[in-house]
Amino acid sequence: MSSTLTWDQMQDLMWPATWETLGMVGIATAATIVIGLPVGLFLVLTDKGGLLQNVPVARVLGVIVNVGRSIPFIILIVALIPFTRWVVGTSLGWQAAAVPLAVGAIPFFARLVETSVREVDGGLVEAVQSMGGSTWTIVRKTLLPEALPALVASVTTTVIALIGYSAMAGTVGGGGLGDLAYRYGYLRFQTTFMWVIVAELVVIVTILQLIGDRIARRLSHRGSYPSPLGLLFGSRRRGADDDELVAH
């Protein structure tokens, strides 16, 4: 059993590992939003009764998403090693870990987007349609603005899930805090150091959750985001006039 690490030694190890964790999670989050958001929208738009109704396409997308969500992440990392090497040139390190992180999170986030968009009031969509709004206009000026608070909450949930995945990736050479916890906490029996890493992860997750909740609450307040109807004719905020117009 090795001697216990001092606080200075812990700090020297933790700072680089923290930035590695934030780096892989940040890259994976960006890729997840860029790909997962359109996938989630298409799940809604191509479904029965959707603006781009195409049930076969919706079913194929649904199957792909479900399969992606059902694969355990540790297995996904191993299965994607050839693809990861093709993308970043290696299967080790935090840059490589960002690839399976993104692939694993995309179907998860797509389902969250689908749920968020489905909660948008259908009356608003019908109102914009009746005024000649195209599908792109409805998506850009109605579905996304109205679903924005829920989408922010979905991004927060996804980021927190990615932090958990990143710790798992560290056990197979992905770097970051998970790698430290495995190498020192498990292999070298540095239990104190492992719990310090756990405490840091708890702090990071708590801070991100608080930030995400605060942004979602501000967007949920009446008048905190542009009205879809107002965006068609100006830049005013949503108010009682819009609700009355939709009701009629």
Side-chain angles (χ1 to χ4, degrees), residues 116 120 124 142-156 210-228 231 237-239:
S116 300
V120 175
L124 291 172
T142 303
L143 294 179
L144 290 180
E146 289 293 323
L148 192 56
L151 290 175
V152 169
S154 298
V155 170
T156 304
L210 290 174
I211 293 173
D213 289 347
R214 181 176 178 82
I215 295 173
R217 281 196 300 269
R218 289 179 65 87
L219 291 172
S220 296
H221 290 163
R222 191 178 190 79
S224 63
Y225 54 96
S227 160
L231 281 169
R237 300 290 178 176
R238 181 178 179 182

Side-chain angles (χ1 to χ4, degrees), residues 17-229:
T18 300
W19 286 113
E20 288 180 358
T21 294
L22 295 177
M24 72 174 84
V25 170
I27 293 173
T29 299
T32 298
I33 293 173
V34 169
I35 300 175
L37 181 60
V39 172
L41 285 171
F42 272 104
L43 284 170
V44 177
L45 296 176
T46 59
D47 201 7
K48 187 176 181 180
L51 297 173
L52 299 175
Q53 179 174 314
N54 192 322
V55 176
V57 171
R59 288 177 178 173
V60 170
L61 273 178
V63 169
I64 293 173
V65 169
N66 289 338
V67 170
R69 293 175 63 197
S70 66
I71 301 175
F73 183 66
I74 194 70
I75 296 176
L76 184 66
I77 295 175
V78 177
L80 289 177
I81 285 177
F83 178 70
T84 301
R85 285 176 177 164
W86 179 73
V87 173
V88 298
T90 180
S91 60
L92 300 175
W94 67 269
Q95 298 94 335
V99 175
L101 282 174
V103 173
I106 286 169
F108 174 76
F109 181 65
R111 282 299 186 194
L112 294 179
V113 171
E114 179 191 12
T115 302
S116 300
V117 174
R118 287 191 189 279
E119 293 176 353
V120 175
D121 185 2
L124 291 172
V125 175
E126 293 174 1
V128 177
Q129 278 183 309
S130 68
M131 291 182 288
S134 65
T135 300
W136 170 240
T137 299
I138 293 171
V139 170
R140 186 166 57 94
K141 297 185 178 181
T142 303
L143 294 179
L144 290 180
E146 289 293 323
L148 192 56
L151 290 175
V152 169
S154 298
V155 170
T156 304
T157 301
T158 302
V159 171
I160 291 173
L162 282 170
I163 291 175
Y165 288 162
S166 73
M168 199 181 304
T171 64
V172 290
L177 292 170
D179 177 54
L180 281 187
Y182 176 69
R183 287 192 294 114
Y184 287 88
Y186 179 72
L187 296 181
R188 303 186 186 182
F189 303 100
Q190 298 283 350
T191 306
T192 301
F193 189 29
M194 182 177 66
W195 283 112
V196 169
I197 294 172
V198 170
E200 181 182 358
L201 288 170
V202 170
V203 171
I204 292 174
V205 166
T206 301
I207 291 173
L208 291 174
Q209 186 68 62
L210 290 174
I211 293 173
D213 289 347
R214 181 176 178 82
I215 295 173
R217 281 196 300 269
R218 289 179 65 87
L219 291 172
S220 296
H221 290 163
R222 191 178 190 79
S224 63
Y225 54 96
S227 160
L229 301 179

